[in-house]
Amino acid sequence: MQTPIGMEQDILLKQKKKNKNRKRLDTWLLLVPTLGIFIFFFLLPLFFLFITSFKTFDPGSGIGSEWTFQNYIKFISDPFYLSVVWRTVKIALLTTLASIIISYPVAFQISRASGRVKNYLTLLVLSPLLISMVIRCYGWVILLSNNGVVNNTLINLGWIDQPLTLLYTELSVVIGMVHVLLPYMVLSIMGSLERIDPSVIRASQNLGASSFRTFFSVLLPLTLPGIFAGSVMVFSLSVSSFVTPAILGGPQVKVMSYLTYEQVAVMLNWPYGAAIGFLLIIIATITIIAYSKVLASSEKGVAIQ
């Protein structure tokens, strides 16, 4: 026979279990609307698109009913498509690297500012996001075209005799992507910088470390999480970007997103376009995983030192 104390403990345990179950149920009930939207508008279309990528295609009748791996084999075995893959990844990597180099000093200066100055600088960094991506890209078309501001200025200064080919090149695409995606990198690095205790930097300087040594031994390792978060966002958005490469690169600089659009909207070959889209997802995922492992190993190396 249980004592009153034992019975009380059992009641408390049962009550705790009920509270835990109720919290779990409440959590799932709160997640149901978001999960429903995510599944219905994202996962289901991707699933049906994935199924479509294994279907045959006939220009006369459209999507066939037979199953095939030919769409993926055709892409992987063609040197032209492999060169497009390399160009897509290269542009995304260059965009990410340029964004890190440009964003770090900007984020550092904003994090050191205070009051209204910091708010104004942050608003200035975010201001490109308030303008349509198409308008920003056409702004770069005006600047980089053969009769644009950049070439006319260089010719008037006497630095060049003929206009440089700046538009419809990989360089123009990288420039446009950096302009579009720079705020994401700045905000990510700025968040890491603001979490650093200023006394850590002062301690490094008091111990005789130069500004160069302080940056590479103290500041940079502590901001690696912010750099990684910004890099993932910038790389993911740039590797799958369509508008900027289409406007600034044109048909001369084809990337995988442009090929997907071309196959689906122009050639009406949905199975092949779906295969290209899923290969793009796989390539982007593998690159991000490899980058995260490299960054994790560098963080461990810094910690050991």
Side-chain angles (χ1 to χ4, degrees):
M1 185 175 179
Q2 277 190 331
T3 61
I5 296 176
M7 293 176 63
E8 187 176 350
Q9 289 177 347
D10 290 340
I11 293 172
L12 289 174
L13 288 172
K14 289 180 181 179
Q15 188 65 34
K16 285 182 180 180
K17 288 181 180 179
K18 287 183 180 179
N19 291 335
K20 286 183 179 179
N21 293 332
R22 187 176 297 171
K23 286 182 180 179
R24 289 177 183 174
L25 180 61
D26 292 342
T27 302
W28 281 108
L29 287 175
L30 290 172
L31 288 174
V32 164
T34 304
L35 287 175
I37 293 172
F38 179 75
I39 292 171
F40 186 78
F41 290 102
F42 182 73
L43 291 183
L44 278 180
L46 278 181
F47 173 75
F48 287 118
L49 204 61
F50 180 71
I51 296 298
T52 304
S53 69
F54 292 100
K55 294 287 187 176
T56 57
F57 174 76
D58 185 355
S61 58
I63 301 174
S65 58
E66 298 179 0
W67 298 90
T68 180
F69 287 97
Q70 191 59 38
N71 294 319
Y72 291 94
I73 295 172
K74 177 183 176 181
F75 188 91
I76 296 172
S77 60
D78 194 324
F80 169 75
Y81 291 120
L82 294 179
S83 67
V84 173
V85 172
W86 166 240
R87 183 186 296 121
T88 303
V89 175
K90 181 175 68 173
I91 289 174
L93 290 174
L94 289 175
T95 301
T96 305
L97 180 61
S99 298
I100 293 172
I101 295 173
I102 297 172
S103 298
Y104 207 104
V106 175
F108 182 76
Q109 292 300 326
I110 295 177
S111 64
R112 293 184 62 184
S114 58
R116 292 184 177 179
V117 176
K118 185 175 183 178
N119 294 334
Y120 291 147
L121 290 175
T122 304
L123 182 61
L124 184 64
V125 170
L126 294 175
S127 59
L129 298 178
L130 303 176
I131 305 172
S132 170
M133 188 181 298
V134 176
I135 296 174
R136 282 180 284 174
C137 289
Y138 277 113
W140 282 109
V141 171
I142 296 171
L143 290 173
L144 300 176
S145 63
N146 290 340
N147 296 321
V149 176
V150 175
N151 276 313
N152 285 336
T153 302
L154 294 176
I155 291 173
N156 292 333
L157 291 173
W159 292 0
I160 57 174
D161 297 327
Q162 295 180 347
L164 299 174
T165 305
L166 300 176
L167 193 61
Y168 305 126
T169 62
E170 292 181 8
L171 175 62
S172 63
V173 176
V174 171
I175 291 173
M177 297 270 243
V178 171
H179 178 219
V180 170
L181 302 175
L182 195 69
Y184 299 102
M185 185 68 74
V186 172
L187 293 177
S188 298
I189 297 176
M190 191 171 69
S192 292
L193 286 169
E194 289 178 342
R195 287 193 291 269
I196 297 175
D197 190 349
S199 61
V200 175
I201 300 175
R202 289 197 296 269
S204 175
Q205 294 171 344
N206 291 336
L207 291 171
S210 62
S211 300
F212 185 83
R213 181 69 182 275
T214 300
F215 174 76
F216 283 99
S217 299
V218 178
L219 204 59
L220 185 60
L222 292 175
T223 53
L224 281 178
I227 293 174
F228 172 68
S231 299
V232 170
M233 283 192 291
V234 171
F235 181 84
S236 301
L237 292 171
S238 58
V239 80
S240 59
S241 178
F242 168 74
V243 175
T244 303
I247 295 175
L248 297 178
Q252 293 87 343
V253 186
K254 286 188 177 181
V255 293
M256 291 187 70
S257 58
Y258 189 91
L259 284 180
T260 305
Y261 164 78
E262 196 174 51
Q263 291 296 324
V264 173
V266 180
M267 307 298 295
L268 300 179
N269 190 345
W270 278 61
Y272 193 48
I276 296 174
F278 273 96
L279 285 171
L280 175 60
I281 294 173
I282 293 170
I283 291 167
T285 304
I286 292 173
T287 308
I288 291 171
I289 292 172
Y291 177 77
S292 63
K293 288 186 176 181
V294 170
L295 189 64
S297 62
S298 64
E299 284 181 346
K300 288 180 181 179
V302 170
I304 291 173
Q305 290 177 357

